[in-house]
Amino acid sequence: MNGRKISGILLACALLAAGTTSAFGQGFKQDAKTVGHGIGNGARDIGHGTAHVAKTVGHGTAHVAKSIGHGAADAGRGIAHGTREGWDATKHAVKQVFHKGD
């Protein structure tokens, strides 16, 4: 073989190797891009699920707080009415003992 044939073969091998490497590089790049999209989509789905759970817990907490607040208000009114009735009974008993208001 002469130098010209060897140079041609080496050039052909170099071009083939460069084209093959480029094809493999593109495949890796596309695979990495696909994996990145999958990770992003999964993260978004997790974020949406977390937001849904947080809203549900928040609404449940608000409902419980309203229920407790209303229960406390009802208890306060009951205590106030009971206190008033107790005061009226005490006042009536004192008047009966001392004959005032006859």
Side-chain angles (χ1 to χ4, degrees), residues 13-48:
C13 289
L15 290 174
L16 180 65
T20 304
T21 303
S22 176
F24 282 132
Q26 287 293 81
F28 289 138
K29 182 179 175 182
Q30 186 60 40
D31 290 345
K33 187 176 179 181
T34 302
V35 169
H37 283 295
I39 291 170
N41 291 340
R44 185 183 63 243
D45 292 343
I46 290 171
H48 288 166

Side-chain angles (χ1 to χ4, degrees), residues 38-97:
I39 291 170
N41 291 340
R44 185 183 63 243
D45 292 343
I46 290 171
H48 288 166
T50 304
H52 177 71
V53 169
K55 286 178 189 174
T56 302
V57 169
H59 290 160
T61 304
H63 179 68
V64 168
K66 283 184 203 174
S67 297
I68 291 171
H70 289 170
D74 290 343
R77 282 191 291 275
I79 291 169
H81 287 292
T83 304
R84 180 63 184 188
E85 289 174 3
W87 170 251
D88 288 342
T90 303
K91 188 169 65 172
H92 180 72
V94 168
K95 286 182 180 181
Q96 290 295 324
V97 170

